[in-house]
């Protein structure tokens, strides 16, 4: 199947109200251009350097989402290109993005990354950490927190994956009713990748991030 066919098929299968982020990391500009021609406008990248090369080479109405671990020293390079930074995984990073946004006079939308998966290596805040910093995050002027992003454990155990997704959704619901109550922009629950997006949607996702199912296997260069 071609990139165009994959986009068309996914758009047909995704329920209304669920947004698709086409994860183009490690795929060339030509692949993004093909998806763009098929109507896709939202793309996800995970490396500052790659984003800085691709974004200027592609149409300006693309909405770039940064989805990888972001070091604070790369914030300045990433902010000018992105609509959303989905992977805010520490208070230090949140503050660095806020400062940079204030410095350049632009508000940057961000998602707070929730860590519920079994792997210690994954990044993000535990739900308890998020509840603790949420009031401060909600008051920032440089960033606008528009929701949460998370990943399930890397396992074949469907029950565990579903439990992880439900925990991420529950965290979002509690924040939406708590620190972000009254902020209608706080509305995004980004969870679900190529292999688990259907389950993620069943568990309350309204934004899926899909790479391989659109572009094929990544060539790591
Ligand atoms: C790479 C990546 C994806 C896409 O993964 P696929 O399995 O290729 O769909 C989604 N989310 C994040 C955070 C990623 O790093």
């Amino acid at each position: 199947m071609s990139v165009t066919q994959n986009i068309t098929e996914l758009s047909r299968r995704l329920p209304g109200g669920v947004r698709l982020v086409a994860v183009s990391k490690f795929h060339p500009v030509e692949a993004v251009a093909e998806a763009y021609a098929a109507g896709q406008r939202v793309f996800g990248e995970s490396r500052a350097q790659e984003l800085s090369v691709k974004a200027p080479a592609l149409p300006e109405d693309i909405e770039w989402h940064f989805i990888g671990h972001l070091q604070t020293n790369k914030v300045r390079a990433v902010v000018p290109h992105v609509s959303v930074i989905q992977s805010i995984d520490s208070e230090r990073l949140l503050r660095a993005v806020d400062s940079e946004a204030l410095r350049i006079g632009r508000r940057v939308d961000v998602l707070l990354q929730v860590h519920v998966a079994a792997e210690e290596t994954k990044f993000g805040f535990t739900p308890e950490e998020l509840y603790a910093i949420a009031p401060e995050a909600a008051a920032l002027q440089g960033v606008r927190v528009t929701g949460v992003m998370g990943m399930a454990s890397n396992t074949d155990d469907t029950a565990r994956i579903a439990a992880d997704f439900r925990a991420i959704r529950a965290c979002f619901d509690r924040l939406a009713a708590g620190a972000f109550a009254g902020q209608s922009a706080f509305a995004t629950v980004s969870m679900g990748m190529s292999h688990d997006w259907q389950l993620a949607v069943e568990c309350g996702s309204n934004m899926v991030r899909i790479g391989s199912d659109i572009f094929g296997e990544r060539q790591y260069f």
Side-chain angles (χ1 to χ4, degrees):
M1 293 251 278
S2 68
V3 167
T4 304
Q5 285 170 316
N6 292 338
I7 295 268
T8 309
E9 176 67 9
L10 266 172
S11 309
R12 197 180 60 71
R13 289 175 65 197
L14 279 172
V18 180
R19 298 188 78 204
L20 170 63
V21 179
V23 177
S24 50
K25 63 184 187 195
F26 296 96
H27 292 284
V29 164
E30 294 72 31
V32 182
E34 187 180 346
Y36 181 89
Q40 181 65 26
R41 292 293 179 271
V42 187
F43 292 89
E45 287 286 337
S46 62
R47 300 190 306 174
Q49 169 64 20
E50 196 175 338
L51 177 65
S52 322
V53 171
K54 278 181 182 164
L58 284 152
E60 274 191 18
D61 63 340
I62 286 182
E63 204 182 288
W64 293 102
H65 288 215
F66 197 84
I67 63 170
H69 177 59
L70 180 59
Q71 289 167 308
T72 49
N73 63 358
K74 301 279 173 64
V75 166
R76 197 166 277 198
V78 162
V79 162
H81 301 296
V82 287
S83 299
V84 186
I85 298 176
Q86 294 206 5
S87 42
I88 299 292
D89 55 15
S90 72
E91 201 171 339
R92 184 159 171 259
L93 178 60
L94 180 67
R95 294 198 179 281
V97 175
D98 185 61
S99 306
E100 179 60 10
L102 291 172
R103 191 184 73 83
I104 65 165
R106 213 202 103 195
R107 202 150 189 216
V108 177
D109 286 352
V110 301
L111 303 181
L112 301 171
Q113 185 168 348
V114 193
H115 177 109
V116 295
E119 298 81 32
E120 286 294 327
T121 50
K122 288 211 169 103
F123 294 101
F125 300 93
T126 64
E128 294 308 322
E129 286 169 344
L130 269 190
Y131 305 142
I133 68 144
E136 285 169 59
L140 293 174
Q141 295 300 306
V143 297
R144 181 172 75 158
V145 182
T146 55
V148 301
M149 183 271 262
M151 279 175 262
S153 303
N154 190 6
T155 170
D156 293 333
D157 179 357
T158 310
R160 172 68 205 244
I161 297 170
D164 286 351
F165 285 146
R166 288 202 188 93
I168 295 163
R169 174 71 207 205
C171 181
F172 168 83
D173 288 337
R174 182 159 159 189
L175 292 168
F180 295 95
Q183 295 194 17
S184 58
F186 189 83
T188 300
V189 184
S190 171
M191 53 186 196
M193 308 170 29
S194 290
H195 65 284
D196 59 14
W197 68 263
Q198 284 149 302
L199 187 54
V201 168
E202 280 169 34
C203 296
S205 167
N206 59 22
M207 179 176 281
V208 294
R209 308 175 309 268
I210 300 183
S212 336
D213 274 5
I214 294 173
F215 298 108
E217 291 300 308
R218 286 180 279 276
Q219 306 276 324
Y220 290 96
F221 46 81

